[in-house]
Amino acid sequence: MKSVASAPGKIILFGEHFVVYGVKAILCSIDKRIIATSQCIDEKIIKIKSSLGESSMKLDALEGLDSISPKFMKPFFYIIQKTMKERNESTGIEVVLESQIPAGVGLGSSSAACVAVAASVNGLFGKLTREEVLKIAIEAERTIFEQNSGADASISVFGGLASYDRSTGFHNILSKNNLNFIISNSGQTHNTEEVVQQVKNFKEKNESLFFNLCKQEEEIIRNATVALEKNNINELGLLMSKNHELLKKIGVSTEKIDLMINEAKLTSYGAKITGAGGGGCTISLVDDHNRKKTLNNLQKISDCFITRIDHSGLRYEQ
Ligand code: PMV
């Protein structure tokens, strides 16, 4: 028997980095997914296969999770070991991951993979609720990135458009419109932890400037919440571009990203980095009027695709 589950990636519309220091962020899940297929196997091993690599460990391995290579697989082994222990199971397991989400560029592929693996592996023995999947996915992600806020995994499980802050968590926003974005990939992969550390260094050297930028970000997010309520796409785009200026000031943009943003701003409603920056992706807000033109222009300088908000979140496919 096979158990198949899928989970979406995400983009951050507003608030990345500032969210680490208590400011709200607004994010949504996208129509690109990771699909995890699990099955029990006779061999007494845990095996994980993905297009980025393959890894396996014996069920009774003594070395533990720290010896897992490549490192991005560690959370998946954590999920499987924990599931087997809690369910008192001792079968071998194989998980195959298929991804529509480019990896390492701020589109939430690692969180989506944890969510899909947790749902699919547990589905072999008895399905978990969304809340249970979320809990184990966040725990798993924290085995490699301790400060992880849990925002990516939350949006991947529940889908839609939401705000998130560290003290009150995740709140779904009922958006009346189906926003369309162009995601452009700079091709420069980034390490979120490193970029977050770089921003921390910047903050420590520039306390009052950073405090002021947090205040500006809070105002952008207040206005963006109103623009979303009123379905005001022009205002939303302007606020995204304004948000990008703040991200530039904290040093997370690059020459290539700025080139992509300037190009996008010529025809879209607005554009910004999405995620940690230091490379990664940009998002440009578009609709039927400017989608084709913006896509054509951005395609000349980056890999890009159109995306819209995914409203289904985690799905049990089989
Ligand atoms: O993993 P990314 O690239 O989507 O960035 C995460 C967003 C940050 O605000 C930079 C970090 C965080 O934990 O919120």
Side-chain angles (χ1 to χ4, degrees):
M1 190 196 79
K2 286 185 178 174
S3 165
V4 187
S6 75
K10 67 94 194 30
I11 51 176
I12 300 180
L13 273 55
F14 297 97
E16 50 273 271
H17 288 294
F18 299 101
V19 69
V20 175
Y21 301 96
V23 175
K24 212 189 258 182
I26 297 179
L27 64 164
C28 70
S29 63
I30 58 171
D31 57 359
K32 294 265 178 262
R33 304 189 148 248
I34 288 200
I35 303 113
T37 303
S38 303
Q39 62 179 328
C40 297
I41 52 175
D42 293 336
E43 216 179 334
K44 293 283 175 206
I45 58 169
I46 301 170
K47 195 195 281 184
I48 298 170
K49 290 181 180 171
S50 87
S51 61
L52 297 178
E54 228 181 281
S55 191
S56 62
M57 79 188 282
K58 284 191 182 141
L59 278 183
D60 54 359
L62 298 173
E63 314 89 73
L65 293 175
D66 285 331
S67 60
I68 298 292
S69 165
K71 193 180 161 200
F72 75 87
M73 295 259 189
K74 187 176 166 185
F76 313 146
F77 284 92
Y78 171 87
I79 290 168
I80 299 170
Q81 279 193 340
K82 186 169 172 160
T83 302
M84 308 289 277
K85 208 168 156 198
E86 285 182 352
R87 294 184 182 263
N88 212 5
E89 291 285 347
S90 57
T91 173
I93 296 217
E94 180 187 84
V95 181
V96 178
L97 287 168
E98 291 156 88
S99 179
Q100 304 164 343
I101 312 168
V105 286
L107 299 179
S109 62
S110 5
S111 299
C114 285
V115 170
V117 170
S120 136
V121 170
N122 277 280
L124 289 169
F125 312 109
K127 282 179 188 160
L128 295 182
T129 63
R130 287 182 167 214
E131 286 74 14
E132 287 166 337
V133 170
L134 177 60
K135 187 168 175 286
I136 186 168
I138 293 178
E139 262 174 47
E141 279 206 276
R142 288 189 176 147
T143 62
I144 49 170
F145 180 20
E146 221 181 310
Q147 298 88 350
N148 188 293
S149 64
D152 285 17
S154 303
I155 201 76
S156 185
V157 166
F158 296 108
L161 178 69
S163 71
Y164 180 87
D165 71 73
R166 290 190 85 132
S167 53
T168 68
F170 184 82
H171 303 277
N172 240 61
I173 300 174
L174 294 171
S175 169
K176 283 175 236 133
N177 72 18
N178 256 322
L179 300 173
N180 282 241
F181 299 93
I182 293 172
I183 296 183
S184 312
N185 186 346
S186 69
Q188 303 168 313
T189 52
H190 68 204
N191 177 322
T192 299
E193 224 174 334
E194 273 169 33
V195 189
V196 168
Q197 182 58 44
Q198 183 193 315
V199 173
K200 187 166 180 247
N201 297 343
F202 174 87
K203 175 187 173 282
E204 280 163 10
K205 282 199 195 110
N206 307 277
E207 284 288 353
S208 70
L209 170 62
F210 195 82
F211 179 76
N212 185 277
L213 294 173
C214 283
K215 292 282 148 214
Q216 290 183 46
E217 181 71 39
E218 276 169 357
E219 197 189 337
I220 288 176
I221 287 170
R222 271 195 301 276
N223 293 336
T225 308
V226 177
L228 280 167
E229 273 163 20
K230 293 188 173 160
N231 207 359
N232 186 341
I233 193 165
N234 278 304
E235 174 70 0
L236 206 57
L238 289 173
L239 290 164
M240 281 170 50
S241 300
K242 224 170 160 182
N243 193 155
H244 185 73
E245 289 307 309
L246 300 190
L247 291 167
K248 263 173 91 166
K249 286 189 182 152
I250 60 172
V252 299
S253 197
T254 65
E255 229 173 271
K256 173 92 191 265
I257 293 277
D258 286 337
L259 182 74
M260 286 154 58
I261 297 284
N262 289 339
E263 190 63 42
K265 275 164 58 179
L266 296 176
T267 49
S268 70
Y269 293 102
K272 64 180 275 294
I273 280 175
T274 184
C281 291
T282 63
I283 49 170
S284 317
L285 184 61
V286 291
D287 65 7
D288 290 349
H289 300 102
N290 53 12
R291 188 173 33 207
K292 246 193 177 156
K293 184 138 191 47
T294 310
L295 188 66
N296 282 344
N297 290 345
L298 283 170
Q299 261 166 352
K300 291 176 193 147
I301 50 172
S302 66
D303 278 339
C304 42
F305 57 91
I306 292 170
T307 193
R308 51 179 65 228
I309 303 177
D310 157 274
H311 289 281
S312 53
L314 165 64
R315 282 202 310 244
Y316 285 99
E317 309 281 359
Q318 188 182 316

